[in-house]
Amino acid sequence: MVTYIAQLLSLDPAGINTADRFDSFGMDSIEAVVMAGIMEEEFGVQIEPMLLVDNPSIDLFSAAFGRKD
């Protein structure tokens, strides 16, 4: 996710704070859905886009995805 956001926004990955909300990077719900699709392709796991919307930071999403059944 750090790499995706950094590439999307032409930022240094080291400058991405995983606690920052996606909207602080200028991302909206459409970009969250796109990111979910890319993650599904990259990692072979299904990601419900609403999980990104409901957990709007890398840290929050990671914790929620880890708890997912």
Side-chain angles (χ1 to χ4, degrees):
M1 292 177 84
V2 169
T3 301
Y4 174 79
I5 293 169
Q7 289 177 344
L8 178 69
L9 303 173
S10 299
L11 298 172
D12 178 359
I16 302 291
N17 181 344
T18 59
D20 288 347
R21 295 175 54 93
F22 297 131
D23 61 0
S24 73
F25 302 116
M27 295 179 67
D28 60 20
S29 59
I30 293 171
E31 287 159 332
V33 170
V34 171
M35 184 167 60
I38 290 170
M39 291 169 59
E40 286 180 359
E41 290 176 13
E42 181 75 21
F43 302 113
V45 295
Q46 186 172 353
I47 298 173
E48 176 59 43
M50 283 306 296
L51 194 59
L52 288 163
V53 173
D54 293 340
N55 300 280
S57 75
I58 294 172
D59 289 345
L60 292 172
F61 170 78
S62 298
F65 187 76
R67 290 189 305 266
K68 182 179 111 154
D69 293 327

